[in-house]
Amino acid sequence: MASNLMASNLMIKLRTSFSNGSNKNICKYVVICTILVVYVVYMLVSSHPCCQVQPKWRRSDSKGVASATNISHLVFGIAGSSNTWRGKRGYIQAWWRPNVTRGFVFLDRPPTEHLPWPSADPPYRVSEDNSRYKEYNKHRMPFAIRMVRVIEETFKAEHGGEVRWYVMADDDTVLLMENLVGVLSKYDHTKYFYVGMNSECFVCNVVHSFGMAFGGGGYALSYPLAKAVAQNMDLCLKRYPFLYGSDLILQSCIADLGVSLTQEYGFHQVHHLLLF
Ligand SMILES: *[C@@H]1O[C@H](CO)[C@@H](O)[C@H](O)[C@H]1NC(C)=O
Ligand SMILES: *[C@@H]1O[C@H](CO)[C@@H](O)[C@H](O)[C@H]1NC(C)=O
């Protein structure tokens, strides 16, 4: 009895509140509820980018969402030389994973030892002939042009599949693969990126540049940047015949493309303390 009364009281109250308010109020509630329902449904089913949790740059491949960067997305270009490979290959073997890591070691001439070439070592390539640059080669390091062109030759040799990054290293650079993949996966490989670090030796940075990645620690170029560098290599080499060292020539070429160094502290170029 009492609950019946309360229920009818409520109805009367509701009725009075509705009849007191104008039809405008009802319309307002209906409109607000409809908007909320539509919004919630839209958020649940929509594939619109605003509703995706993925950061913007990860949505780059054809499926809309790029997979995480892994070791197969990296290609390595190692600048080596036939005379020193015997002493240096131990550094590379420390991190090279046969049939997993992709890339090449570039030698100045065909090897005469270590033949047949072990399949556990990175496959080798002999650097292209650079005699056409002779008149431009005013470098104190005569092999600088060959070193700069490692990025171009690596790009030309391996750009199929899903390459995202080109990692350049010297023949005595030791890379920690999981860390390297982790660092590079932070960046959008579809944009122009030049990732590396300057030297731990202050004077070396003064002599070269604080904005330059020192090759001893390795550095990485995203696919589109490597492509642009490779396509502009001729122009670049002819523009900077006077710069000392391949790292500085490359940095100048990259700067001309409007890209500056993204510093990552994990790349270490260690200089011999006795020299500096
Ligand atoms: C890396 O990711 C690609 C997809 O982008 C996949 O096809 C490939 O198997 C992965 N490689 C490794 C070693 O996990
Ligand atoms: C790499 O693969 C090739 C061909 O599949 C094989 O002959 C070779 O033994 C492999 N090398 C290593 C070190 O696993």
Side-chain angles (χ1 to χ4, degrees):
M1 189 65 182
S3 62
N4 269 352
L5 259 177
M6 263 174 73
S8 55
N9 271 349
L10 255 177
M11 292 299 286
I12 292 161
K13 263 194 188 156
L14 272 174
R15 252 196 219 155
T16 44
S17 71
F18 273 126
S19 53
N20 282 351
S22 59
N23 280 349
K24 258 192 197 165
N25 267 346
I26 301 175
C27 285
K28 218 158 76 184
Y29 292 130
V30 170
V31 168
I32 289 172
C33 287
T34 312
I35 289 174
L36 277 175
V37 169
V38 168
Y39 180 70
V40 168
V41 169
Y42 177 74
M43 290 297 278
L44 288 176
V45 302
S46 171
S47 60
H48 189 277
C50 80
C51 308
Q52 292 182 352
V53 184
Q54 291 271 4
K56 208 174 176 186
W57 58 266
R58 281 187 175 271
R59 287 180 269 108
S60 51
D61 69 6
S62 54
K63 287 181 212 119
V65 178
S67 59
T69 293
N70 65 41
I71 194 170
S72 325
H73 297 127
L74 273 46
V75 171
F76 298 88
I78 303 159
S81 91
S82 286
N83 285 345
T84 58
W85 182 243
R86 176 203 287 272
K88 302 290 185 90
R89 64 195 279 252
Y91 294 108
I92 304 303
Q93 281 173 339
W95 59 268
W96 185 261
R97 298 190 196 163
N99 291 343
V100 177
T101 34
R102 303 160 67 181
F104 311 93
V105 55
F106 286 87
L107 302 175
D108 46 350
R109 59 172 173 76
T112 48
E113 41 182 351
H114 313 295
L115 293 172
W117 195 259
S119 74
D121 283 2
Y124 77 85
R125 296 231 160 179
V126 177
S127 291
E128 284 173 15
D129 175 31
N130 288 316
S131 53
R132 66 200 163 98
Y133 295 110
K134 209 165 184 177
E135 62 171 304
Y136 300 98
N137 197 348
K138 305 196 168 54
H139 302 100
R140 277 163 58 201
M141 296 159 74
F143 48 87
I145 285 183
R146 183 175 85 83
M147 305 268 286
V148 185
R149 293 195 65 213
V150 166
I151 177 68
E152 178 197 0
E153 293 188 39
T154 307
F155 180 84
K156 277 197 213 154
E158 185 91 32
H159 54 265
E162 261 204 86
V163 185
R164 296 186 180 182
W165 294 94
Y166 289 88
V167 179
M168 299 293 111
D170 285 351
D171 53 5
D172 54 1
T173 304
V174 176
L175 299 172
L176 304 176
M177 200 56 67
E178 278 74 24
N179 297 358
L180 178 65
V181 170
V183 161
L184 294 180
S185 60
K186 293 194 310 187
Y187 298 98
D188 184 350
H189 60 274
T190 65
K191 304 269 160 59
Y192 289 77
F193 270 107
Y194 169 44
V195 184
M197 192 59 204
N198 54 31
S199 175
E200 298 186 350
C201 145
F202 178 79
V203 182
C204 305
N205 294 316
V206 174
V207 171
H208 295 89
S209 163
F210 280 87
M212 179 185 102
F214 279 69
Y219 52 79
L221 272 60
S222 60
Y223 180 94
L225 180 58
K227 186 177 181 183
V229 166
Q231 285 170 344
N232 289 286
M233 186 55 76
D234 246 40
L235 278 175
C236 165
L237 288 175
K238 290 172 184 176
R239 195 182 299 134
Y240 297 109
F242 48 86
L243 290 182
Y244 177 80
S246 56
D247 293 339
L248 189 53
I249 300 172
L250 184 69
Q251 188 252 327
S252 306
C253 304
I254 292 174
D256 288 348
L257 295 168
V259 180
S260 50
L261 177 66
T262 298
Q263 294 191 339
E264 273 289 348
Y265 286 103
F267 294 92
H268 298 280
Q269 160 106 2
V270 186
H271 275 94
H272 202 292
L273 286 177
L274 290 178
L275 287 176
F276 296 101

